[in-house]
Amino acid sequence: MDHSSDLPLITALPRAWMAFSKAPWRHVGLSALVLISGIGLALIGQDLRGMPAPWLNRLGDLSVLSSLVVPIVPSLALLELADHCLTGNQRELKTPRRRARWVLRQTFTLLVLEGIFLAGGVAVMQSLSWALGTISPTLAGFSVIAGSLVLLHWIYTQVMALPLLVHHHHHALEAMAHSRQLVNNNGLKVLAMLGLITGLNLLGLLVASLGLLLSLPFSALVLMACCRSQTPWRSDSRRNMLPT
């Protein structure tokens, strides 16, 4: 699998602004759906869990659990919209129904695989620390530190997996491999991108959380813009950084 390796971070914000201006209300509407389906369901679940009736408590647990799963659908729609707007194609922004079902299926597969790998890593780290603890507590402590660093690095290399899945139509394992390759080749740029996205959403939280209606679309647009990696020092790829 041969991919370009230079992440165009410098042009991400200008491209995000140009793409946002093509469908601003659709971006804001999908961001509202993400917030309502996440925060709204969680708040309802917390209220229900405080009720005296046991069946309402169970319904509250289900609502809290749903707040972790339901936002995936509007989040995917937001990423798809961002990807369409960044291509410069204003004729049709709708995603075919079969394509939407395929992306949703691959996304859940990706999340399950990520969860399995993470749980497996934690289990191996715990087993190794327990085995080394019978020899020396110091070795056990070092194994926990080393295992935590390895897991954190692995999580860091997977931050681009979902955007790459949406943009390149990857299967789950292909998206994971491509994300690892892209992050390893652009470690500092990906770190700067995460800092930019974090800063945007912190600014959104400062305005009574209403700013998230704007910061979430820009975060999605920056992520999808960074999926369009370029071949380093190629004049033709530099010309194609901005949408036409």
Side-chain angles (χ1 to χ4, degrees), residues 58-185:
R58 289 193 293 270
L59 188 59
D61 293 336
L62 181 61
S63 179
V64 172
L65 183 61
S66 299
S67 69
L68 301 176
V69 179
V70 175
I72 294 175
V73 177
S75 297
L76 281 176
L78 184 60
L79 290 175
E80 287 277 3
L81 177 61
D83 191 48
H84 280 297
C85 290
L86 284 164
T87 61
N89 182 11
Q90 303 183 50
R91 293 176 302 172
E92 183 63 49
L93 294 179
K94 293 183 179 179
T95 303
R97 192 168 297 177
R98 289 184 59 187
R99 157 76 177 154
R101 287 198 298 265
W102 184 88
V103 171
L104 188 61
R105 186 167 60 250
Q106 291 300 321
T107 298
F108 278 108
T109 302
L110 174 67
L111 294 177
V112 169
L113 289 175
E114 299 276 11
I116 290 174
F117 289 158
L118 183 59
V122 172
V124 170
M125 183 177 64
Q126 289 178 338
S127 300
L128 184 60
S129 64
W130 177 82
L132 292 176
T134 60
I135 302 173
S136 169
T138 304
L139 289 177
F142 279 129
S143 69
V144 171
I145 294 173
S148 299
L149 291 176
V150 170
L151 283 178
L152 286 175
H153 178 264
W154 180 79
I155 293 171
Y156 178 58
T157 61
Q158 296 303 309
V159 296
M160 295 295 293
L162 182 57
L164 289 170
L165 184 151
V166 172
H167 175 63
H168 290 287
H169 305 175
H170 285 327
H171 288 84
L173 289 175
E174 291 177 320
M176 293 169 69
H178 190 178
S179 177
R180 184 175 64 253
Q181 180 189 21
L182 184 64
V183 173
N184 286 335
N185 290 334

Side-chain angles (χ1 to χ4, degrees), residues 213-224:
L213 295 176
L214 294 177
S215 64
L216 287 179
F218 273 97
S219 299
L221 286 163
V222 168
L223 277 173
M224 299 312 297

Side-chain angles (χ1 to χ4, degrees), residues 10-73:
I10 295 176
T11 60
L13 271 180
R15 297 170 70 189
W17 173 253
M18 294 172 66
F20 179 80
S21 63
K22 295 178 182 177
W25 292 112
R26 292 190 64 180
H27 283 100
V28 172
L30 287 174
S31 298
L33 284 178
V34 173
L35 294 174
I36 292 172
S37 59
I39 300 175
L41 285 174
L43 292 176
I44 293 173
Q46 288 295 331
D47 291 339
L48 291 175
R49 291 170 71 177
M51 297 293 180
W55 69 273
L56 287 176
N57 293 334
R58 289 193 293 270
L59 188 59
D61 293 336
L62 181 61
S63 179
V64 172
L65 183 61
S66 299
S67 69
L68 301 176
V69 179
V70 175
I72 294 175
V73 177

